[in-house]
Amino acid sequence: DSEFFRVRAHTARARLVVALPASQSAVEHRVVLELSSAGDTGSRGRMGDEGVRPEAAGWVPRLGGGHQEVDRILDELEQIYASQPNEWLVADPIASMVMREEGYEDEDELEDALGGSWEAFLGGMPHIEVRRNARDDLEFKVLKPDPDAPPRRLTLRVDSRDDLWRVLFKAPEATILIPHLEFEIGADHKRRVDTLYNYIAAAEWNLSSHIRGRKDLAAEYVVAISETVEQLLGLLDVEQPFDLVLNDPAGASIFKPDHGVASTPLQLEPAARPPAAVMADMTEEEEAEALAAELAALTAEDGGS
């Protein structure tokens, strides 16, 4: 019921206990609760103390969080771009090609799926540049990873909720660290484009799912996981400033906007987790188990020190 969810949207703690149909993604609902009707100052969504959020243009609400439709559109866009000989492509014909391939009847239906205009969507992608040509047509190009880019560590000080609406193009090999929690969001089998909010929310959901309804787990283990879930929820509310670190071995990840992001050289170490080729074969449940195992190992280390 939409009215029920509007009431529950006001507190992060309440989001954890909202019951959802098993066939739907709680992360998707959480993102919708936080970001839908971003330009509306009424009861839907939460604007926070900073006022209107930077994602008010509309496309950010559709990123990630289980919204597979936008990921398909982005995949189709990148495939079309890779098949073309020119560096810069006029945007409108590509939109028509995407509509045809994805089965959208018209531009309105495409923009409804994106949650905003085609131009705003392209302009919001960290790995896409846009410009106007001499005829004032919108053009874009997809930035290709530099094979010679050095490994680097990108650090962002998250001071307010606005920082969580930054969009991150995360290269497959990159990992996200929350140093003060000793928490890591691992590598994926493909590139991912999402808000920082959604990266953290997805990690919280994976951990919550891992222990929900389980009777075979030790009580101490469940308590440790539950405490981490609560800490992650606190990050979503930015109860206090914190550092978010991206270890980027390929040097291909991009924040947008990137102001305030510090870049330092990354010293590569032997991989402690499966390589991308193995991660590609893991199910979501297996990835959640691996994440929980890492957390358990860290908890054991802390207990033994």
Side-chain angles (χ1 to χ4, degrees), residues 7 31 33 41 104 134 145 187-188 190 215 217 224-225 265 288:
V7 173
V31 172
L33 289 173
T41 56
Y104 297 108
D188 296 294
K190 62 173 290 187
K215 303 298 184 182
L217 301 176
I225 298 291

Side-chain angles (χ1 to χ4, degrees), residues 220-242:
E220 297 82 359
Y221 178 78
V222 173
V223 169
I225 298 291
S226 299
E227 289 176 351
T228 300
V229 167
E230 288 296 309
Q231 291 172 326
L232 292 174
L233 286 171
L235 297 184
L236 296 179
D237 284 335
V238 193
E239 295 174 346
Q240 60 184 10
F242 64 92

Side-chain angles (χ1 to χ4, degrees), residues 57-69:
W59 52 267
V60 167
R62 304 296 186 173
L63 283 176
H67 201 288
Q68 302 299 320
E69 193 169 10

Side-chain angles (χ1 to χ4, degrees), residues 1-11 33 36 40 42-45:
D1 181 89
S2 59
E3 189 65 30
F4 172 79
F5 283 123
R6 278 203 293 271
V7 173
R8 289 296 190 268
H10 289 294
T11 65
L33 289 173
S36 63
D40 179 8
S43 61
R44 294 190 65 189

Side-chain angles (χ1 to χ4, degrees), residues 40-74:
D40 179 8
T41 56
S43 61
R44 294 190 65 189
R46 182 169 62 184
M47 301 304 295
D49 298 333
E50 295 82 13
V52 177
R53 299 190 298 258
E55 78 277 15
W59 52 267
V60 167
R62 304 296 186 173
L63 283 176
H67 201 288
Q68 302 299 320
E69 193 169 10
V70 167
D71 202 41
R72 289 198 304 270
I73 292 172
L74 189 54

Side-chain angles (χ1 to χ4, degrees), residues 40-280:
D40 179 8
T41 56
S43 61
R44 294 190 65 189
R46 182 169 62 184
M47 301 304 295
D49 298 333
E50 295 82 13
V52 177
R53 299 190 298 258
E55 78 277 15
W59 52 267
V60 167
R62 304 296 186 173
L63 283 176
H67 201 288
Q68 302 299 320
E69 193 169 10
V70 167
D71 202 41
R72 289 198 304 270
I73 292 172
L74 189 54
D75 281 342
E76 187 66 41
L77 168 69
E78 291 172 345
Q79 291 173 20
I80 292 173
Y81 181 86
S83 69
Q84 303 301 307
N86 297 330
E87 180 183 22
W88 289 90
L89 303 179
V90 178
D92 285 347
I94 304 303
S96 298
M97 295 174 69
V98 170
M99 286 187 289
R100 182 173 63 253
E101 293 298 324
E102 294 298 316
Y104 297 108
E105 293 184 358
D106 52 33
E107 185 176 348
D108 288 341
E109 189 174 346
L110 173 64
E111 293 188 344
D112 181 63
L114 294 174
S117 72
W118 181 242
E119 179 173 357
F121 177 74
L122 293 176
M125 293 292 103
H127 64 308
I128 294 177
E129 290 186 2
V130 295
R131 71 180 186 185
R132 292 280 176 177
N133 62 22
R135 298 184 300 275
D136 200 36
D137 295 324
L138 179 68
E139 295 183 333
F140 75 94
K141 71 174 179 178
V142 177
L143 302 178
K144 298 180 180 180
D146 181 359
D148 298 321
R152 58 182 181 169
R153 172 175 289 131
L154 302 178
T155 303
L156 172 66
R157 182 68 171 176
V158 177
D159 289 316
S160 71
R161 285 173 58 85
D162 282 351
D163 287 320
L164 294 182
W165 311 131
R166 296 182 192 230
V167 180
L168 170 63
F169 174 93
K170 179 176 171 292
E173 307 86 353
T175 58
I176 297 174
L177 304 176
I178 311 294
H180 77 282
L181 299 183
E182 296 185 331
F183 187 82
E184 176 178 333
I185 299 173
D188 296 294
H189 65 277
K190 62 173 290 187
R191 66 98 182 96
R192 182 178 171 189
V193 183
D194 217 333
T195 62
L196 298 182
Y197 183 101
N198 283 354
Y199 283 108
I200 297 172
E204 178 267 313
W205 168 250
N206 286 336
L207 285 179
S208 297
S209 299
H210 172 64
I211 62 173
R212 187 178 298 115
R214 296 281 295 273
K215 303 298 184 182
D216 59 327
L217 301 176
E220 297 82 359
Y221 178 78
V222 173
V223 169
I225 298 291
S226 299
E227 289 176 351
T228 300
V229 167
E230 288 296 309
Q231 291 172 326
L232 292 174
L233 286 171
L235 297 184
L236 296 179
D237 284 335
V238 193
E239 295 174 346
Q240 60 184 10
F242 64 92
D243 287 335
L244 184 145
V245 177
L246 182 81
N247 285 338
D248 187 19
S253 300
I254 308 171
F255 283 88
K256 190 169 189 175
D258 63 356
H259 61 269
V261 177
S263 178
T264 55
L266 174 65
Q267 296 297 116
L268 295 180
E269 299 177 357
R273 61 176 59 249
V278 175
M279 293 289 288

Side-chain angles (χ1 to χ4, degrees), residues 295-305:
L295 179 62
L298 288 173
T299 303
E301 290 176 6
D302 290 341
S305 60

